[in-house]
Amino acid sequence: MAALILLESSPVMLAPWHSLSARVLDSGNSPFETAHGKDIWSYAEENAGHSKLIDEAMACDARVAVRALIEGCPRVFDGIKSLVDVGGGNGTALSMLVKEFPWMHGINFDLPHVVAVAPKVDGIENVGGDMFECVPKADAAFFMECVQILKKCREAIPQDKGKVIIVESVLEEDENDKLEFVGLMLDMVMMTHT
């Protein structure tokens, strides 16, 4: 998880925390935009080193989450011949899935500057685009962070047999939970950076 720690503790990602009040007091720009003059994705497109750090941090998370998915829910992938990983970054999650389920053709879909540097892997096609405009057609859509993407994924998969596979943190409401602060922390990070 070192890359995730390096990303979140980098000066680029810490600066928005100093602009947090701008979200409340200003015109509605995110704190990241206030600190850097552009959203996180535009910033990453212009700063290859930061883009690589984002990809490596997301890959850390994918290695843990996808392994748990493969071990705990392999039936989810039954009957899927093509799988699009929406926001797939450097293809880490999709590489693990295609290796485990070799009958699937993978489509690693992310911003053009991201897939341009993604490794070439047998069974995986790297496709650049904007997930808020369209998503490549496949039997199933896979993503690890989602809100507005769901509508486009519904358009992309077959209605009769299509699947949307969502991997997300599940936070139990338990008075004795020593990690109850994690939900607030995740919400704060997303608010500050996006």
Side-chain angles (χ1 to χ4, degrees):
M1 301 302 286
L4 186 58
I5 301 298
L6 289 172
L7 172 67
E8 291 302 329
S9 64
S10 71
V12 171
M13 298 304 268
L14 289 175
W17 288 96
H18 300 289
S19 304
L20 197 53
S21 63
R23 179 76 174 145
V24 176
L25 302 174
D26 201 7
S27 63
N29 287 342
S30 75
F32 192 96
E33 288 177 84
T34 301
H36 299 293
K38 56 189 66 159
D39 67 63
I40 192 168
W41 311 118
S42 299
Y43 184 90
E45 183 175 7
E46 294 177 8
N47 295 275
H50 186 69
S51 183
K52 184 175 187 214
L53 191 54
I54 290 173
D55 290 342
E56 290 171 354
M58 297 303 103
C60 286
D61 184 44
R63 281 189 284 278
V64 173
V66 173
R67 177 59 41 213
L69 177 64
I70 289 168
E71 292 171 4
C73 307
R75 294 179 311 278
V76 145
F77 299 96
D78 289 349
I80 296 175
K81 293 182 181 164
S82 59
L83 177 69
V84 59
D85 185 355
V86 181
N90 65 11
T92 297
L94 198 54
S95 294
M96 293 173 70
L97 291 169
V98 169
K99 181 178 179 184
E100 188 70 28
F101 309 109
W103 61 83
M104 286 193 310
H105 168 72
I107 303 168
N108 182 34
F109 181 66
D110 211 315
L111 294 169
H113 76 276
V114 175
V115 296
V117 296
K120 308 290 186 244
V121 176
D122 287 341
I124 296 177
E125 174 186 3
N126 291 312
V127 176
D130 182 345
M131 68 181 85
F132 297 107
E133 292 180 11
C134 73
V135 172
K137 301 233 180 263
D139 291 339
F142 176 86
F143 41 97
M144 296 181 64
E145 293 184 21
C146 55
V147 175
Q148 300 173 8
I149 307 165
L150 286 172
K151 182 178 177 183
K152 295 300 178 187
C153 289
R154 180 169 170 78
E155 294 171 8
I157 61 175
Q159 289 187 5
D160 60 336
K161 63 176 179 167
K163 295 180 183 181
V164 174
I165 303 161
I166 301 172
V167 177
E168 191 58 77
S169 301
V170 176
L171 304 174
E172 302 288 333
E173 292 191 24
D174 180 359
E175 290 180 19
N176 299 320
D177 186 3
K178 294 177 183 168
L179 298 176
E180 68 178 312
F181 65 90
V182 172
L184 175 60
M185 183 213 50
L186 292 171
D187 288 345
M188 293 293 294
V189 168
M190 292 307 291
M191 179 182 68
T192 303
H193 294 150
T194 62

